[in-house]
Structure formats: structure tokens, C-alpha cells
Amino acid sequence: LGDGGGATYVRVGSEPAHGYKVQSADGAWWEGQVRDGVINVRATGAVCDVSGDFNATSSAAHTAENVRIAAATDDTAAIQTAIDYAMDKDQDGSSAQPVTVLLSGLSRITDTIHLGYGNTVGSVYLKGLAESYRGEDTMAGRTGLVCTFSDRPMVNFQGVRRGGIGRMFLRYGLDYSGVTATNTGLTPTVESNWDAVKAASQYAPGAAITVDAYSGTEPGSPYPDATYPAHESQTQYGKSASSGVEIEGMFIRNAQVAICVKPSDDSSNADFVSIKRLVIEFCKYGISIGNGQSRSVSVEDVNMGRVWTCLV
């Protein structure tokens, strides 16, 4: 189709219920296929047209980044379509063999990307083209997700078994450059300077990646309601927990918490989380693991700078 997704389509008798489809000029419907275990988000309509580097160290530069993000195509629905198809197609709800969703560029998102909805369990892996460093073109910075929001996760795992995310750049919407710069008069060792950017929240932090944000009972200060597909349960909390989530080869910045496991007042599962080869900058907290059953969590080769606390 010329979209760069390299998709294979099969003609079907009626319009598929999911979004991975095209209609030809003769009115026939064609359903996209998983090809060698991979779905490219461009095949479901992602444009990946965010431009420029993302390494702001001042509020003016951060604002300029927001302007460029707002000018790009919103790829949220296209990326979510690919993930939903990967999790639902040819899986029986208990498969531990993940389909890889390939993010082949730098995309703007305006809402949480859901890796699973927690009504059943399944597997999926969201993967970029290369391990990004500092969001710069010259350092493999052209694969990842960027946003300007700060009230919800960029990515949430829910009910995932042996799935993951890797080899990409995540830029959240918070600006901590005033706290970490040397010429603003704000002392980075004073916690209130960090909280002035975004007030501390145990259950709904401004997180780049969350694991099981919608498990347990709904807390008093929850995240905004998630938007679920029509065929999924519409209940906001009480979702199935994850196990064996892998987060590898990432560069994360501008979040209140880079990675937050179970910010949902629930203590079960979310175990065997593996975190490897990360760089985290301009975040109040690097990694926060709050549930009581956080068994066999592995943190390896993680570099943090310009953060208030590395590990909670």
C-alpha cells in the first residue's frame, strides 16, 4: 500500500471487526496478517512523522519540543490497533508467545498505549528499530514515543505474560529542567522543588511506563478513565495482573516516574519484571516498585542522572 509497513493482506468475506484492514476499489475487504511474527505500526496507519531531536535542558527548549510534538500526526489509534490485533489474533488468551509490534519511527501519542487490557492474559512485545540514546538523530533517536500530557502513563502493561517493550526512546510531558539546571536557583536536593512541577501521587504518578496500573480496587486518586474497545470489559479497575514483563534498551526522560510497578493499591503479581540497559534523565523517580509481591525483580545496567531518587 506504499505505507512502509510491509504488510500482507488476505481477502475475507466481510469487514473485519478490528482495524487492521483495507477495502479495495471493488468493495472487497482485506485483512492484515502477522508476517514472520511481526506487525509494523505503519501498516495500521501510523505516520511516525515527529521531527527533530529531544534533549532539552532548559524550559524554553522543552516548550519548543512541545510545539514540534503538537505539529506531528497523532499515531495513538494506529499503534493501538496494531497492538490489539497482535494480542487477539491467533491467541487463545493464555499464549506466552508474543507477537512483536514494530515501531519504525518517532511517533506522537495523545493517550496511553495499552499493552493488554487485563480482561484476559496474553503476550505482546512493542519494539523499536534501535536502542535510542538521548533522543538525538545521531544516537539512534528516531524510534520512540513522545507526548505532552502528564496525567496518565505513556505505556501500561495489563495482564501481560512474558511480553515487553524495548529499543526505543520515551519522552514524557513534564519539565524538570528548572530543577536540574545550575542557573535557576532551585536546589535539586530539595524535594519540594520537584513537587512544584507535579505534586506527588502514589496511585496516579506521571509515569512513562506502568505495570498493572488498573489492578485492584480503584484508589481515591486514580488515573483518568481508560478508553477500552467495545469488545473489552469497560470496568476501569480489577484487571488481571502481569508477570514476566521485560523493559530493555530504553531511554526515558521528563517523567515523574520512569517505570512504576503497581501504582494501583494492589499487591498481587506484577512479578518477574526485568529492567535492563536503560538511561533515565529528568525524572523525579527512576524506578518505583510498590506492590508486596514483587518477586524476582531484576535491574541491570541502568544509568540515571538528574533524578531525585533512583530506586523506590
Side-chain angles (χ1 to χ4, degrees):
L1 301 177
D3 55 17
T8 299
Y9 292 86
V10 173
R11 184 167 177 161
V12 292
S14 58
E15 180 181 0
H18 55 78
Y20 191 15
K21 60 192 174 186
V22 294
Q23 188 175 29
S24 53
D26 61 358
W29 283 101
W30 301 75
E31 182 179 58
Q33 303 294 296
V34 176
R35 185 175 182 180
D36 298 325
V38 176
I39 298 175
N40 192 317
V41 297
R42 292 182 185 271
T44 53
V47 181
C48 308
D49 62 349
V50 177
S51 63
D53 293 336
F54 288 85
N55 57 356
T57 57
S58 70
S59 291
H62 181 89
T63 299
E65 288 182 354
N66 285 346
V67 171
R68 286 190 281 111
I69 291 172
T73 304
D74 182 359
D75 282 339
T76 311
I79 295 170
Q80 193 63 62
T81 293
I83 292 168
D84 292 351
Y85 183 84
M87 293 204 72
D88 292 341
K89 187 65 176 177
D90 297 327
Q91 296 202 52
D92 61 6
S94 61
S95 171
Q97 301 301 317
V99 173
T100 296
V101 175
L102 180 64
L103 182 65
S104 56
L106 192 59
S107 286
R108 172 197 179 205
I109 60 171
T110 57
D111 203 351
T112 303
I113 299 299
H114 295 275
L115 295 173
Y117 295 106
N119 298 314
T120 58
V121 296
S123 295
V124 67
Y125 200 105
L126 180 60
K127 184 177 182 180
L129 289 174
E131 292 192 14
S132 299
Y133 185 69
R134 297 189 63 82
E136 299 177 22
D137 286 355
T138 55
M139 296 184 179
R142 302 310 302 157
T143 301
L145 304 173
V146 298
C147 74
T148 59
F149 58 75
S150 60
D151 63 341
R152 64 198 69 198
M154 291 187 76
V155 177
N156 180 56
F157 290 90
Q158 197 71 56
V160 168
R161 296 292 190 272
R162 290 297 175 189
I165 184 171
R167 297 173 62 83
M168 69 178 70
F169 168 68
L170 297 183
R171 187 271 197 190
Y172 198 65
L174 291 172
D175 177 17
Y176 287 111
S177 59
V179 184
T180 58
T182 57
N183 59 354
T184 62
L186 297 175
T187 305
T189 53
V190 176
E191 187 173 13
S192 60
N193 289 333
W194 294 85
D195 290 342
V197 176
K198 182 176 175 64
S201 173
Q202 182 177 356
Y203 300 123
I209 299 173
T210 51
V211 179
D212 296 340
Y214 297 96
S215 296
T217 58
E218 184 168 337
S221 300
Y223 283 118
D225 284 354
T227 300
Y228 296 111
H231 65 279
E232 297 283 352
S233 169
Q234 302 302 300
T235 58
Q236 290 296 316
Y237 279 78
K239 302 294 189 178
S240 297
S242 302
S243 184
V245 170
E246 298 178 359
I247 303 169
E248 300 186 74
M250 308 283 292
F251 188 99
I252 303 173
R253 59 182 290 150
N254 299 99
Q256 190 174 41
V257 187
I259 300 170
C260 192
V261 178
K262 276 292 180 73
S264 57
D265 203 18
D266 181 64
S267 191
S268 63
N269 280 60
D271 45 13
F272 303 101
V273 177
S274 175
I275 302 169
K276 297 181 180 179
R277 300 191 316 279
L278 265 64
V279 178
I280 297 170
E281 282 189 346
F282 294 96
C283 298
K284 183 182 178 185
Y285 300 109
I287 299 169
S288 174
I289 300 174
N291 62 306
Q293 196 181 348
S294 53
R295 301 174 298 175
S296 298
V297 173
S298 171
V299 180
E300 178 181 345
D301 192 13
V302 176
N303 189 343
M304 301 188 202
R306 294 173 172 141
V307 301
W308 161 256
T309 300
C310 292
L311 179 64
V312 182

